[in-house]
Amino acid sequence: MVASSEMMSVGIGGMEPPPLDLDEVHVLAVDDSLVDRIVIERLLRITSCKVTAVDSGWRALEFLGLDNDKASAEFDKKNNIKKLKVDMIITDYCMPGMTGYELLKKIKVSTFPPIFDSGNNLFESLSESSSFRQVPVVIMSSENVLTRIDRCLEEGAEDFLLKPVKLADVKRLRNCLTGDVKLSNGNKRKLPEDSVTVDTSLPPPPPPSSLTLSTNSSDSSPPLSPVEVFSSPLSSPEEDDDVLTSSPEESPIRRQKMGSPGLD
Amino acid sequence: MDAHVAQLQMQYRNYILSLYQQGFLDDQFTELKSLQDDGSPDFVAEVLSLFFDDCVKLVGNMARALDQIGTVDFCQVGANVHQLKGSSSSVGAKRVKGLCINFKELCEAKNYEGCVRCLQQVDIEYKTLKAKLQDMFNLEKQIVQAGGIVPQVDIN
C-alpha cells in the first residue's frame, strides 16, 4: 500500500530524508469573519503554529482534499502530490452555508484520499485508512449554549472555545498537541499519527468500480502538496501565503517523538 | 525633550484609561494589544482597520435591508447584526457590541422603528470609536517621533 517513494521520504532504507519541519504544528482555521481570522491566525502564530485560514467549511474541505471534486483529485494523483499535514482544525460554529458542527461531522467520517463510487459520489467509509478523522477539531462560538457544546463534543470535537478567543485558550490547545491528547471524557490517546501518512499495516479498502484515488494502486495514495492544492483559483491570497510557507512532509516515526521545545 | 516625551506619555496613558472608563473598550482590546510586538508592530491597527471596514459594509447592508419598507427581511438584518456583534466582540469595541445585543432583540421582535433607531446609534458609535482610536494612534506616533516608547497602560 505504501509505495517505495513514500518509504524513502520517511527515511527507511538509509535514504537521506528531505529536511522536515518536525516540530511545526499546522493548524487549519475556519471562520467566515475576516477580523476573527486575522486574530486567530495571530494567536496561533504566537504559539508557533503554521496557520492556514479559510473562510468557509467548503474551503476547509477543499483544502483537506475531502470535497467531492474528482477532477482535482485525479490531477493530484497524476502529479504525485504530497500528503497534507494538518495537526488541528479550529472552526467557528456559526457560519453561512456549512456550520462548524457540520464541518466537524464531515471530517469525522472522512477518508483520504477521497474515494468515489460509480455514481461519482464521495464514498464515506468507516475504515481506519488514513484520513483526517483523528485530527483534533476545536469549535469556537460567541454563544455559550450548553446543548450546542454538548452536541459538538458528542460528535467528537476536541474542545469548545468561547469567543472572543484569548491567547491562554490557544496556548492550552497548543500544549495538548505536543503530548498525549486528552479527550474531553478523560481518556488519553496518542498523537494522531495518521493525520497525514498512510498506515502500512492495514489492507487497502475495496476498490470501487470507477477510477479513483484508491490506496490500492501501485502509486499509493497521492500525497497532496499545499502548493498544488491551490493551483486552482479557489483560494484567497492570504491562504496562499500560509500554504506556500508550510512544509508538508512528515515521517510517522519521527512524528511520535515530537517534542515541544520552548513551549510554556 | 524628555519632559516633552513624558508629557505625551502621560497624555496617552490618561487617554487610554478614559476610553476604558467610558466603556469604549474592554479587556479584549487589552488582549489584542498584548499580541502586538516589535515583529508585528501594526497588528492592532490592522485588525481595527478591518473591523471598521466591516462596520461600513454591515451597516450598509442593514440600511439597505431596512429600506425595503413593508418587506423588511429581519432575518437578514439580524444576520448582519450577528456578524457585527462578533467582530466588535473580537476587537474589544464594547459599546458597539452592547448596541448589537439590543439590536438583535429588536430584529427578533421585528421592531422596525427600534431597528432603524438602533442602526443610527450603531453608525454613530462605530464612527466615534474610530475617531477616538485615530487620536490614540496619533498620540503613539507623536511619542515615537519625539524619541519615546509607547507605554503599556495597566488598566486595572
Side-chain angles (χ1 to χ4, degrees), chain B residues 4 7 9 13 16 23 25 33 42 44 52 60 85 88 91-93 100 106 114 118 129 140-141 149 152:
Chain B
H4 179 51
Q7 189 200 28
Q9 287 172 329
R13 235 184 228 107
I16 299 266
L25 301 172
K33 279 236 147 158
D42 300 317
V44 177
F52 290 122
K85 176 169 158 268
S88 59
V91 303
C100 287
L106 292 166
C118 204
L129 178 63
E140 288 184 0
K141 212 156 80 162
I149 347 172
Q152 304 269 48

Side-chain angles (χ1 to χ4, degrees), chain B residues 99-117:
Chain B
L99 282 173
C100 287
I101 294 172
N102 296 343
F103 204 161
K104 220 174 175 189
E105 287 167 16
L106 292 166
C107 288
E108 278 155 22
K110 299 200 202 293
N111 180 339
Y112 179 77
E113 305 290 349
C115 283
V116 169
R117 265 198 308 272

Side-chain angles (χ1 to χ4, degrees), chain B residues 107-139:
Chain B
C107 288
E108 278 155 22
K110 299 200 202 293
N111 180 339
Y112 179 77
E113 305 290 349
C115 283
V116 169
R117 265 198 308 272
C118 204
L119 181 60
Q120 283 168 353
Q121 286 177 294
V122 166
D123 192 59
I124 292 169
E125 201 56 58
Y126 92 75
K127 286 171 176 166
T128 305
L129 178 63
K130 186 172 180 184
K132 297 258 177 206
L133 291 176
Q134 195 56 60
D135 289 344
M136 182 194 81
F137 286 124
N138 287 341
L139 266 174

Side-chain angles (χ1 to χ4, degrees), chain A residues 143-154 157 160 162:
Chain A
E143 265 119 52
N144 194 1
V145 180
L146 273 181
T147 49
R148 177 181 291 186
I149 298 171
D150 284 343
R151 215 158 36 125
C152 290
L153 294 176
E154 271 162 32
F160 190 101
L162 209 51

Side-chain angles (χ1 to χ4, degrees), chain A residues 30 56-58 60-61 64 66 89-93 95 98-110 124 132-140 148-160 189:
Chain A
V30 190
S56 72
W58 291 113
L61 293 177
L64 296 170
L66 298 175
I89 297 164
I90 182 162
T91 176
D92 190 22
Y93 184 94
M95 295 187 291
M98 186 193 303
T99 66
Y101 176 67
E102 286 159 355
L103 175 61
L104 165 70
K105 288 201 287 186
K106 283 189 196 285
I107 289 166
K108 290 301 170 186
V109 298
S110 70
E124 291 184 329
F132 292 103
R133 289 172 63 207
Q134 291 191 50
V135 175
V137 180
V138 175
I139 311 280
M140 304 179 281
R148 177 181 291 186
I149 298 171
D150 284 343
R151 215 158 36 125
C152 290
L153 294 176
E154 271 162 32
E155 279 301 323
E158 185 67 30
D159 209 329
F160 190 101
R189 60 174 165 83

